[in-house]
Amino acid sequence: MDSSEIRTRFLEFFREQGHAVVPSSSLIPDDPSVLLTTAGMQQFKKYYTGEADPMRDFGSRNTASAQKSFRTSDIDEVGDERHLTFFEMLGNFSFGGYGKTEAIRFAYEFITDAMGLKISYVTIFQGSSTVPQDEESRAIWQALGVADIREEGMNDVFWGPTGSSGPCGPTTEIYCKNAAGQDIEIWNIVFNQFFYPGSREELLAGTPDKELQPLATFGVDTGMGLERLAMASQKTNTIFETDLFAPLLALLPRELDERKRRIIGDHTRAATFLIADGVRPSNRAAGYILRRLMRRVFALERLAAIPPHVIGAVVHEVIHDYGDAYPELKREGETIRREFDAEREKFLKTLDAGMKEFGRLPAVGATEAFTLYQSYGMPFEVIKELDPQKTAALTRDAFDREFTKHQEISRAGAEKKFGGHGLVLDTGELKAKDEAELEKVTRLHTATHLLHQALRTVLGDSVHQMGSDITAERTRFDFAFDRKLTPDELKSVEELVNQQVARDLPVTKAELPIEEAKKTGALYFFKEKYPEQVNVYSVGDFSKEFCGGPHVTHTGQIGHVRIVKEEASSAGVRRIRAIVEG
Ligand code: SER
């Protein structure tokens, strides 16, 4: 049975049982406590808690959907036989409409009758100090003739909550065999009996003052991975041989190893869906997840010398294969292709330099990896792909710790300057009275570094800073030069600055003893007295300057820079005013 038929058969089966079929919600959830949609139940959270009325919204207490889902937690496992980032989750849901008996019976009938599959075994909840063993589910399975019933605990068969709080409860799972005879979890049937006022981590750790509260109405929430069901139905060994993946992987060079083929297949499919739902590659939140997926694909592409049209063909195939079930893919086809090309171009600008630097390092641990990330935009998984031996000691945890440490350092640096004068920032040079102004001033500040270097490139190295003053409106930059600039020179300077913005260069900081800092060739302000330790800020390979910050993390955040005025400030000193737009 091909996968589009499975999707339809599932939804039709539940429609016949009185369920309203609801379209997949976006991968960008309404729920701000989670970054991306991780399960079918997410769009229904408010019906379990009673905040919304399913009868009013769906005309039924029961719904079914095929939901686009994404789990970041599995990203490091992708490449093995069964992990994915993006997947489709088939689910039926009930908000006080039916209980365990019907939920289990529906699942049993769908798997055995509608799909013609054999259940290998099922699991039930073994009980904990706060929730009793699920004897009711055991009895229902037994009555249906399922003999192999296994007990499991909180970690495996207790669902939720998703995000910072929500419905949760014990589950019962169905396992079927793949072609190789392995037992694969196919379907997770959750009984939402409780509300927990904290996260799953807090629940598992047993947090004082946070207790499971019974939900007013009994809820059913089931989730079945379409890829795994297709594997059982199509009798393949892995999900990658099903019709959901085989046509994508067939486009990749045969000699590429299986793990890499799977990563490219998974990540390209996931990125295509994310872009269609409005995510754009960036260094924040969901945008950063997308960027990581895309850059890993481009790194593998580059390492194996795969021409770019191959990934283009995979994207095209995703849109073609999934476009009927998810029309947004067709609608956004042009945008998807454009985003792939733009991100590749951006990444390849720094990848070679990053690979060279990587080649020079004898071993790469968390500190080195973080520098590679900051300076060359290479995410953790890209660095891992470059050389498994050299990065053997590098773990995701250590990398993440390094990440957090740097955020703390830059926050501490900014905070020191806060307070006084009713301004949130006043360094003498930079002034901002609130967060919005601070953001603008930060962009203008990095723009000023670019301007300084661009003036030196265009007019010569005799140019040096004599002073600057930055407010939310504009930067005012004074520099030593003995004549008025020509319109052409101004145009060149402005273009050079905006080229650096377009390159989205990373801005990095190194703290160095003053003498060492001077040796790096960084620009500094002769008039100023510097402390023993100074910060040197680098903007990609373009500029290097002593500075206290704050700066944007990537030049793309600056926006378009426009020079609005050039005039004399005093004898031998010129003054430029510039603004940022967008
Ligand atoms: N919420 C459960 C899961 O995602 C069942 O749908 O596995």
Side-chain angles (χ1 to χ4, degrees), residues 38-39 41 71 89 93 159 188 190 221-223:
T38 58
M41 60 82 68
R71 294 202 179 160
M89 191 182 261
F93 310 90
W159 165 261
N188 187 20
V190 180
D221 150 30
T222 88

Side-chain angles (χ1 to χ4, degrees), residues 33 68 77 90 93 150 201 225 230 253 268 322 332 341 367 404 425 439 451-452 542-543 575:
S33 69
K68 299 179 277 190
E77 262 72 51
L90 305 174
F93 310 90
R150 307 183 186 184
E201 289 67 36
T268 306
Y322 293 82
E332 299 298 322
D341 290 344
T367 325
T404 316
L425 180 73
E439 194 246 2
L451 180 66
H452 188 184
F542 185 71
S543 121
R575 170 168 286 184

Side-chain angles (χ1 to χ4, degrees), residues 458-459 479-486 489 566 572-574:
V458 173
L459 305 174
F479 60 99
F481 195 61
D482 55 15
R483 62 165 171 82
K484 188 167 180 55
L485 273 66
T486 67
E489 284 168 338
E566 191 272 334
V573 179
R574 308 296 303 178

